[in-house]
Amino acid sequence: MNKQLLLGAEAIALGALDAGISGVYAYPGTPSTEITEYIQKNSGRRDHPVRSAWSANEKTAYEAALGMSYAGKRTLVCMKHVGLNVAADAFINSAITGVNGGLVVAVADDPSMHSSQNEQDSRVYGKFAMVPVVEPASQQELYDVTRYAFDLSESVELPVLLRLTTRLAHSRAGVKSTATRIQNPLNALYAPERFVLMPHNARRQYNNLLGMQERLEELSEQSSLNRLIPGSGKMGLLAFGIAFNYVMEVRQACGLNFPILKIGHYPLPRKQIEALFNTCETILVAEEGYPVYEELLRGYFGLQNGKQIKGRLDGTLPRAGELNADSVAHALGVTKKEVLAVPSIMVNRPPELCKGCGHRDLYEALNTVMRSCKEQHVFSDIGCYTLGALAPYNAIHTCVDMGASITMAKGAADAGLRPAVAVIGDSTFTHSGMTGLLDAINDHSPLTVIIADNDTTAMTGGQNSSANGSKLQAICLGLGVEEAHLRTIIPLKSHLAENIEVLRQEINWDGVSVVIAVRECIETAARKKRNPSANV
Amino acid sequence: MQINIILAGVGGQGILTIAAVIDLAALQSGLIVRQAEVHGMSQRGGAVQSHLRIADQEIYSDLIAEGTANLILSVEPLEALRYLPFLASEGRIVTSTDLFINMEGYPAMEHIHAELHRTNRPVLVNAAELARKAGNPRTSNMVMLGAAAPFTGLASQELEASIEKLFRAKGDEIVAMNIRAFRTGKALSQPQASNT
């Protein structure tokens, strides 16, 4: 079959479709979004339908995936690294219950924080849950390994974590696909002794999981993702995930010949690592992410049985950020050739809210109101409107995690801060904002929540959000917001005076109020105009 | 054979369309392609870049190492300079001279020119004007691709075939306009492409 040019994220999607998934569950998040988008665009051509609409958040996505697996079908669940924090409860416990139909969770980490709040390493979660983790190094491997991961999941009856990073998710290469496997039939598993995690069951299941570990390690030893590239010399390389690519790049470009053990399947293949250690005096550990296994191999007291271990912890490689061929070359002692410098006239070009975006008009109104307040703190959240933190608006003062605007404003209000103002988007509100608003209502914490409703999940490229417009109003009323203090504004320049007045009234009111600022994202509107049939 | 290209611009300027044409042409030529791009926050008017690598043997890294880019193709002159550390000593810059100013402190054009001319024979392209002459200002990216074509290691017929394929759905007229823009750009840079 011919090669198709695919993003790494798309290679996972195609691999999952060809592995016979019956559904994908996900909440958008860079750099994982394109996995689900590819399935949404391409599953229609398949013989059997594949459900693929967006979930409200990563936890609901993961649990739905577990339910589909319980019913016997294969399912993919996708998220960015911080999304796994949201889904962690379900993820960890699904390792205790185990799965029925194959369940693969694709988690895209973002080292260097290109579009994220941290660079946490999802392999830690895999280790924490004690499930197999696969970490392919190329787009073709992503396709092949996604297919394999479903077989693996069904054979060990555990969820499999597929970890990738931004660089691979958002890089294209030619990918060859293989024949599609048909979907599993409905085959729900009656196994309350596994799925009712009351203590007596949970203890037994946990012991089973512990008992599985030896077998999981054996599978890693046999995996084609873990393999030795032979070489010579006293230094050996342990290259994890896409760090392998940079190591190979330098080896090839500089004509070096050190042995490399490529790692892409966890738990670690102990015997293969031991074999490398036996032939080398120094081991350079190159991990794309946290020095998770470097720390383990180094040991708490740094005792290495006479071997020297180098990596991110001793500064041989940078402690933070993604690796590249340059940092690996430096670590290997390759003399750096002189390169041109960035000229001193260079200035940064930070991202900004689009010209004509409704958030601009919202912030103009909000800033006018806040300027007249003694305390001028605005708690905000994750989305395009986070760009309001930058000049010229400088309108928001926090952005921590999905939904934290409302709950942090509530805590600050409880501490006595007046006014306490939160700005959150429609998609983020349904992701994790609703429960916080319920807390504030139950606790009578005076705060004003501004829901910037642009009818989409804009920052990730305009995916459908779970609620907007009248549905958002109904949610707020249902949670207990008083009708008189549930207001709607239209963030347009022509409405500026009116919007300032509404915001001023609600911000000055000593109770819970919600102002919904309704105006469609201009990017989404333009996309709909170009392609009226598009559903995203 | 290995060609490393840095594509540079501002989020929203459409450098990924240029990348898509080159990718397709390289793949059709039986070559191996790796092309890393930027999605997410920077796409909102920030500096964006794509690392595009073409070779006749396996490519390992998705990223280009410093000092090894054969070409920086930029649709904005200041953005061309942002990636200078990647340029190989004999590498070339092909950049549009059309400014995109959406931030404070944008340097004076004469300073940008001076810095560009410190590099190995930069190819400066008044892309918007040439695109207008070719029939539509919106084809300026294809003017830029045409200007860069002699430095990509790819045959112009393959690049034109890819343009045809990618724009086919929009109609013959759009295809013809983009091919015209491509040829306009190429005519400008061809004389500057010799190795001497």
Side-chain angles (χ1 to χ4, degrees), chain A residues 166-185:
Chain A
T166 309
R167 205 46 74 184
L168 196 52
H170 287 168
S171 176
R172 291 175 202 277
V175 174
K176 265 189 208 158
S177 58
T178 44
T180 303
R181 175 190 178 276
I182 56 164
Q183 292 187 20
N184 286 354

Side-chain angles (χ1 to χ4, degrees), chain A residues 159-345:
Chain A
V160 172
L161 194 156
L162 193 166
R163 186 232 187 194
L164 75 161
T165 54
T166 309
R167 205 46 74 184
L168 196 52
H170 287 168
S171 176
R172 291 175 202 277
V175 174
K176 265 189 208 158
S177 58
T178 44
T180 303
R181 175 190 178 276
I182 56 164
Q183 292 187 20
N184 286 354
L186 182 67
N187 179 25
L189 181 72
Y190 183 83
E193 72 287 356
R194 276 176 60 184
F195 280 88
V196 179
L197 288 184
M198 292 173 75
H200 64 289
N201 285 334
R203 285 184 206 112
R204 188 185 55 249
Q205 283 297 107
Y206 181 55
N207 274 322
N208 287 346
L209 179 63
L210 294 175
M212 289 284 292
Q213 297 304 304
E214 209 171 312
R215 182 165 167 223
L216 298 184
E217 201 176 300
E218 271 166 33
L219 288 168
S220 288
E221 297 282 6
Q222 296 151 17
S223 171
S224 63
L225 287 168
N226 297 330
R227 61 176 187 267
L228 182 77
I229 288 83
S232 58
K234 289 173 181 165
M235 182 188 255
L237 267 287
L238 257 183
F240 294 75
I242 66 165
F244 174 75
N245 300 347
Y246 304 129
V247 168
M248 286 302 286
E249 182 82 20
V250 174
R251 191 181 193 250
Q252 198 176 49
C254 303
L256 300 170
N257 189 37
F258 44 77
I260 303 170
L261 181 57
K262 173 189 185 297
I263 303 284
H265 192 160
Y266 310 78
L268 285 193
R270 198 183 298 257
K271 287 177 198 150
Q272 291 186 48
I273 290 175
E274 210 174 4
L276 182 75
F277 270 57
N278 286 340
T279 57
C280 300
E281 285 173 16
T282 306
I283 305 286
L284 175 63
V285 184
E287 293 177 81
E288 184 72 320
Y290 284 12
V292 182
Y293 292 97
E294 181 188 342
E295 199 171 11
L296 188 84
L297 293 166
R298 198 180 277 274
Y300 190 72
F301 292 105
L303 302 176
Q304 300 138 22
N305 302 326
K307 307 284 179 182
Q308 198 184 4
I309 292 185
K310 293 181 167 187
R312 285 187 186 266
L313 288 171
D314 68 344
T316 304
L317 285 165
R319 175 63 182 81
E322 63 178 335
L323 299 174
N324 54 46
D326 295 307
S327 58
V328 170
H330 177 77
L332 288 166
V334 175
T335 322
K336 198 180 172 193
K337 63 175 169 184
E338 268 203 41
V339 297
L340 297 168
V342 177
S344 58
I345 58 164

Side-chain angles (χ1 to χ4, degrees), chain A residues 75-127:
Chain A
T75 175
L76 177 70
V77 53
C78 322
M79 58 197 70
K80 69 183 291 175
H81 58 338
V82 288
L84 190 50
N85 296 333
V86 178
D89 202 2
F91 170 64
I92 306 283
N93 290 337
S94 71
I96 310 286
T97 62
V99 305
N100 183 21
L103 196 168
V104 175
V105 50
V107 184
D109 291 359
D110 189 19
S112 285
M113 299 177 239
H114 299 281
S115 228
S116 302
Q117 303 77 42
N118 72 37
E119 60 172 29
Q120 66 183 59
D121 188 325
S122 297
R123 296 176 304 158
V124 175
Y125 266 118
K127 203 158 167 280

Side-chain angles (χ1 to χ4, degrees), chain B residues 17-165:
Chain B
T17 310
I18 300 178
V21 177
I22 301 177
D23 289 348
L24 188 59
L27 217 62
Q28 294 294 330
S29 310
L31 298 166
I32 290 168
V33 182
R34 292 285 272 251
Q35 185 231 320
E37 55 196 54
V38 176
H39 294 201
M41 192 178 257
S42 316
Q43 284 181 297
R44 303 268 170 272
V48 291
Q49 106 295 110
S50 173
H51 287 210
L52 205 167
R53 311 190 68 194
I54 305 167
D56 54 10
Q57 55 176 345
E58 183 159 6
I59 300 169
Y60 288 103
S61 170
D62 295 283
L63 294 175
I64 294 168
E66 290 193 350
T68 67
N70 308 87
L71 170 66
I72 293 177
L73 166 52
S74 182
V75 296
E76 207 279 347
L78 182 65
E79 293 309 316
L81 299 173
R82 198 179 295 282
Y83 307 101
L84 278 190
F86 289 98
L87 194 63
S89 50
E90 73 289 2
R92 303 286 291 268
I93 289 181
V94 176
T95 181
S96 163
T97 50
D98 304 322
L99 309 184
F100 191 108
I101 304 177
N102 63 342
M103 75 288 207
E104 298 288 310
Y106 194 96
M109 190 58 201
E110 71 229 47
H111 290 148
I112 295 177
H113 264 280
E115 293 293 347
L116 285 170
H117 282 289
R118 272 182 231 274
T119 66
N120 177 25
R121 295 182 297 146
V123 179
L124 308 185
V125 187
N126 48 342
E129 196 187 327
L130 292 176
R132 252 193 316 276
K133 283 184 186 158
N136 190 327
R138 290 176 65 188
T139 59
S140 66
N141 280 351
M142 290 304 110
V143 172
M144 289 312 301
L145 175 61
F151 309 97
T152 59
L154 297 169
S156 287
Q157 306 90 280
E158 284 294 354
L159 288 164
E160 290 192 7
S162 300
I163 293 172
E164 213 251 303
K165 216 173 213 172

Side-chain angles (χ1 to χ4, degrees), chain A residues 42-58:
Chain A
N42 293 282
S43 61
R45 283 180 244 147
R46 302 270 160 168
D47 296 341
H48 299 283
V50 176
R51 75 73 59 203
S52 61
W54 294 105
S55 302
N57 66 38
E58 294 85 354

